[in-house]
Amino acid sequence: MAARRGLLLRRPLCSMATSTSRKGKVEVKQVRRGDSYHDSLTSLIQSASFVALDAEMTGVASTPWRDSFEWDSADVRFLKLRHSASRFALLQFGLCPFIPQRDASSGVVSFVAHPHTFHLSPSSSSSSSEGDYDDDDEFLCQTSSLHFLATHRHDFNTSLRRGLSYLSRAREKAAVAAPLLCTESAIGFRHLIDLLSSHNKLIVGHNCILDIAHMFDKFIAPIPSTMEQFMKEVHQIFPNVIDTKHIMNANRTVQLLMRNKSKSLSSAFSSLCPTISSAGYHRSVRASDVNVKVQAHDDEGSSLFNSGAKHEAGYDAFMTGCVFTQLCVHLGITFDQCLSDPSISDPLQSNVKLKPYLNHLYPTWNSGTVLDFTTGTEKPEGTYKQKYPKVELKNIVLIWGFSSVLKYKNLKGCIAKVFGPDSVISVFFIDATAALIQFRKEEFVKDFLALKESLERRKDDPISILHPLSVIFEGGNTKAGDYNTYKDVIACNQSKVLFKDQADGSGVAC
């Protein structure tokens, strides 16, 4: 018999009416520097069937051209992911252990959620004394991300002045070897990440590839240079990860349930968990709903509990966990084994109905693929419907530095006069200074680059001046290369605002 879901907020010395007085709100424990949390959360993680997580960072893409595009290969997408995780800082990290319990009267298994928001300090990984940092970190800020966080009431002062420290395993090892100052307080929040790893806990995130990348970069070591190595090392440390967005994309039952609804976390929470997202107001409780309660107190009691809201890390982790429980229902998974069979230490990740989704993470662009961290490969996602023509990377030319007056029709028209009206499949503008051109045939790439070189050698020749491609190369500033050139530019760690400046500064051959 399926459980019924409601929402109960419990705080010491508070009535239920007081705890649930704000519609749709959940009490989230706020953890800052100086707050006591380690012992209580250690016990919660050890008892949890799974731990949901979420991260809030200072940005996602340092420039518009570092966003993920449909034209990006798997290697390029990874380079953009790696750059984002290594250059931006974490401001909040949300952890929400979900602990199973059985109702004494009905025997139904439900969950008690313990949402925590950890405020992190990006300013330094270690400090020798109050305000005296000996290992300052540099990080980027994306203006739109900061505005977004400010709109959702993020307290930047708390992050910068009262955020918890953290030290990655690699930096701890280097500090000990140097030797540099390395204390328990400097390691700080990373102890909880080590705890998740040592207990092989099932980690649940929503569209969480960037969260996982930040976890690795901030708490383990610099991200490896290839996606395959990255997935291999992540899997060794976090062997059980679920991405709820992948389940939504891959499971036909869930697809039909959500139809054309957005798969964003807040939308999925409203659609799949209505009796929680509305705090039970004005909605009938569905028989299929999983009961989730929120425990808003602990034995240490040194931290404040605030009413969480979306885009606060702890609350988003709570929403993620609730979405996961409901997705399990639609996968035909029951939670009785979480309590009934103590011989099984990890009943959920051992469940045959969940295994097809375990360690399959949704990539940064809807490319119709899924990242399999168990095998270290990227493979097609079975239910994906192709929205765009297939991009043939070997048929692509990169050009940059051309005149700003050149638009799509100009570029395609000039090329069509030389290679034929159907020679160009599409043109994608990376920004106003650069574009990717996909030819119909691979040999057109070599011919185009050869023509460019020939026209530049004979730039004062009247025939060259009248050549249709001369419009693209006018001024002598236009440069070109194949798709590998694009990849080489992306691989450069610097981030110029304009792609042409990045390409020119990277020194790639053209």
Side-chain angles (χ1 to χ4, degrees):
M1 172 176 145
R4 300 176 66 191
R5 176 185 290 169
L7 182 64
L8 174 64
L9 301 179
R10 294 187 291 172
R11 281 181 87 175
L13 304 179
C14 290
S15 68
M16 187 183 301
T18 301
S19 298
T20 59
S21 60
R22 297 185 65 188
K23 179 180 177 181
K25 296 300 181 181
V26 170
E27 299 295 283
V28 178
K29 183 174 181 178
Q30 308 293 314
V31 186
R32 308 170 181 86
R33 187 188 308 162
D35 293 337
S36 178
Y37 64 89
H38 186 270
D39 292 343
S40 63
L41 194 55
T42 296
S43 176
L44 295 175
I45 289 175
Q46 290 171 340
S47 303
S49 291
F50 66 93
V51 178
L53 59 80
D54 181 79
E56 298 294 337
M57 56 281 295
T58 60
V60 176
S62 56
T63 59
W65 53 264
R66 282 202 184 273
D67 278 331
S68 290
F69 303 136
E70 61 183 280
W71 292 58
D72 289 344
S73 66
D75 290 344
V76 168
R77 281 200 306 272
F78 173 69
L79 289 171
K80 291 181 176 181
L81 174 74
R82 183 172 180 253
H83 181 271
S84 178
S86 64
R87 299 301 302 275
F88 291 105
L90 287 181
L91 296 178
Q92 286 183 351
F93 202 91
L95 286 178
C96 188
F98 279 71
I99 300 175
Q101 66 174 15
R102 190 182 300 278
D103 184 87
S105 58
S106 67
V108 172
V109 176
S110 60
F111 286 95
V112 179
H114 299 262
H116 292 65
T117 292
F118 291 87
H119 299 268
L120 304 182
S121 173
S123 58
S124 176
S125 295
S126 60
S127 60
S128 56
S129 62
E130 185 68 27
D132 181 18
Y133 298 104
D134 57 316
D135 187 18
D136 284 337
D137 292 335
E138 293 182 349
F139 63 92
L140 297 178
C141 292
Q142 187 178 358
T143 305
S144 59
S145 292
L146 297 186
H147 280 307
F148 177 84
L149 291 173
T151 300
H152 291 88
R153 302 182 302 167
H154 183 87
D155 186 351
F156 294 97
N157 197 47
T158 294
S159 298
L160 295 172
R161 298 192 64 184
R162 295 195 59 197
L164 296 163
S165 63
Y166 54 84
L167 196 66
S168 71
R169 295 179 184 178
R171 294 180 71 171
E172 178 191 6
K173 183 177 180 180
V176 171
L180 300 172
L181 177 70
C182 180
T183 66
E184 288 295 304
S185 61
I187 296 172
F189 176 76
R190 201 204 77 216
H191 281 304
L192 295 181
I193 303 301
D194 291 340
L195 189 67
L196 288 175
S197 175
S198 64
H199 285 274
N200 289 334
K201 281 298 172 181
L202 179 62
I203 295 173
V204 178
H206 182 83
N207 199 15
C208 58
I209 182 65
L210 184 55
D211 299 313
I212 296 296
H214 269 282
M215 287 176 67
F216 192 94
D217 180 80
K218 302 301 185 292
F219 309 126
I220 307 301
I223 295 176
S225 58
T226 67
M227 174 62 89
E228 293 76 15
Q229 187 63 27
F230 171 64
M231 288 194 284
K232 178 181 177 181
E233 294 189 22
V234 167
H235 185 61
Q236 290 175 344
I237 298 165
F238 307 113
N240 301 292
V241 181
I242 285 288
D243 186 342
T244 53
K245 187 165 185 180
H246 168 60
I247 297 178
M248 293 179 197
N249 287 329
N251 185 269
R252 294 189 183 277
T253 300
V254 178
Q255 285 183 334
L256 290 173
L257 179 70
M258 298 193 69
R259 295 182 177 88
N260 295 322
K261 295 177 182 177
S262 168
K263 294 184 179 68
S264 68
L265 177 58
S266 58
S267 178
F269 183 55
S270 298
S271 300
L272 298 174
C273 313
T275 55
I276 294 182
S277 61
S278 64
Y281 288 91
H282 310 301
R283 288 184 182 269
S284 60
V285 179
R286 303 177 304 184
S288 64
D289 287 346
V290 181
N291 187 37
V292 178
K293 301 176 182 178
V294 177
Q295 186 75 43
H297 67 83
D298 56 37
D299 295 333
E300 294 177 344
S302 59
S303 297
L304 296 176
F305 289 86
N306 292 337
S307 293
K310 64 179 181 179
H311 305 302
E312 179 197 328
Y315 185 76
D316 282 4
F318 167 76
M319 288 197 295
T320 298
C322 290
V323 167
F324 174 65
T325 63
Q326 194 60 35
L327 288 174
C328 284
V329 172
H330 294 293
L331 296 178
I333 297 170
T334 61
F335 303 109
D336 291 302
Q337 211 173 37
C338 292
L339 288 172
S340 61
D341 193 347
S343 65
I344 303 177
S345 58
D346 302 306
L348 279 180
Q349 52 259 50
S350 303
N351 191 292
V352 293
K353 295 179 179 179
L354 190 62
K355 274 194 171 182
Y357 308 97
L358 193 64
N359 299 317
H360 287 63
L361 272 65
Y362 187 76
T364 53
W365 173 260
N366 191 8
S367 58
T369 61
V370 60
L371 302 172
D372 186 345
F373 276 64
T374 302
T375 61
T377 59
E378 184 170 7
K379 59 186 183 182
E381 190 172 52
T383 60
Y384 178 74
K385 294 182 180 180
Q386 190 76 34
K387 297 180 181 179
Y388 308 98
K390 184 178 180 181
V391 177
E392 296 289 348
L393 303 181
K394 62 181 182 297
N395 295 359
I396 289 178
V397 162
L398 166 71
I399 61 172
W400 72 91
F402 48 81
S403 171
S404 60
V405 301
L406 285 179
K407 305 301 178 186
Y408 176 86
K409 288 184 177 180
N410 304 123
L411 287 173
K412 191 170 182 179
C414 292
I415 296 171
K417 290 178 181 178
V418 179
F419 295 96
D422 298 325
S423 58
V424 175
I425 294 178
S426 54
V427 177
F428 178 78
F429 280 83
I430 300 170
D431 64 10
T433 69
L436 295 169
I437 303 168
Q438 182 176 196
F439 285 97
R440 189 167 298 279
K441 298 179 180 180
E442 182 179 359
E443 55 262 33
F444 288 164
V445 173
K446 296 178 181 178
D447 292 343
F448 179 90
L449 296 176
L451 266 174
K452 175 185 180 297
E453 185 178 350
S454 174
L455 291 172
E456 287 178 339
R457 283 200 310 266
R458 298 183 290 118
K459 60 183 179 180
D460 296 326
D461 188 324
I463 296 178
S464 297
I465 294 174
L466 296 175
H467 195 282
L469 292 185
S470 64
V471 176
I472 298 176
F473 305 132
E474 186 178 2
N477 296 319
T478 304
K479 298 178 182 178
D482 59 14
Y483 194 85
N484 286 328
T485 304
Y486 173 61
K487 179 181 174 181
D488 290 341
V489 175
I490 298 296
C492 295
N493 199 37
Q494 62 189 36
S495 284
K496 302 292 186 180
V497 175
L498 298 177
F499 185 90
K500 74 174 185 64
D501 295 333
Q502 176 81 5
D504 292 340
S506 65
V508 298
C510 57

